[in-house]
């Protein structure tokens, strides 16, 4: 399945346990969505979804649960207020992967940024930090105070 995502322009990461998936998601705010097999364990997918929803870093991450055809409706039996988690049968071909991906991207909403937008935001943040550093140095030079301290007025 990772090959299909590569074709669609995504870099896909795979994990073998719920814990490792959660840790990776917490450490990587650039993920657009997560696909979780219903058979994942340590923790199981229902607990994993709760863990991801309760952490502010992943609370708005769209999650697709891949479950066998007969189990899709059972997999969808979590909190009905959770509009960011959907269940899918395992994709059988590229068209299924495209359809599932489009559904998750639609859920991503504001979380979805193009590479250009991310680059612009990163440049803005770096410029802001550089300006703050320059202002702190200038302030320290003018006041003769300790360059490592900052005052609020």
């Amino acid at each position: 399945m990772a090959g299909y995502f590569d074709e669609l322009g995504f870099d896909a990461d795979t994990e073998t346990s719920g814990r490792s998936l959660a840790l990776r998601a917490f450490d990587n705010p650039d993920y657009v969505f997560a696909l979780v097999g219903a058979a994942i364990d340590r923790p199981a997918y229902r607990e994993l979804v709760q863990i991801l929803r309760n952490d502010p870093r992943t609370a708005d991450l769209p999650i697709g649960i891949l479950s066998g055809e007969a189990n899709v409706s059972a997999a969808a039996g979590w909190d009905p207020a959770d509009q960011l988690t959907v269940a899918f049968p395992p994709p059988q071909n590229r068209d299924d992967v495209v359809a599932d991906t489009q559904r998750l991207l639609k859920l991503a909403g504001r979380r979805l940024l193009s590479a250009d937008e991310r680059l612009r935001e990163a440049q803005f943040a770096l410029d802001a930090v550089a300006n703050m550093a320059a202002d702190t140095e200038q302030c320290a030079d003018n006041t003769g105070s300790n360059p490592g301290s900052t005052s609020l007025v």
Side-chain angles (χ1 to χ4, degrees), residues 5-6 14-15 17 19 27 40 42-43 52 55 58 70 92 95-96 139 142 145 148:
F5 288 115
D6 285 343
T14 58
E15 295 297 335
S17 74
R19 181 178 189 280
D27 289 341
I40 200 165
R42 303 181 327 247
L52 295 172
D55 190 287
T58 55
Q92 301 300 311
D95 292 339
D96 290 348
C139 202
N142 291 339
S145 65

Side-chain angles (χ1 to χ4, degrees), residues 68-134:
E69 286 273 352
N71 297 327
V72 170
S73 59
W78 51 79
D79 181 2
D82 183 357
Q83 299 295 311
L84 293 172
T85 304
V86 294
F88 301 114
Q92 301 300 311
N93 54 46
R94 184 182 189 283
D95 292 339
D96 290 348
V97 173
V98 169
D100 295 347
T101 300
Q102 287 174 339
R103 187 169 174 195
L104 289 167
L105 290 175
K106 186 174 180 182
L107 293 174
R110 70 169 183 81
R111 186 180 186 94
L112 184 61
L113 297 175
S114 70
D116 290 338
E117 289 170 309
R118 286 187 188 275
L119 186 59
R120 276 194 304 276
E121 287 187 7
Q123 188 61 52
F124 176 81
L126 289 172
D127 290 345
V129 169
N131 289 337
M132 285 190 296

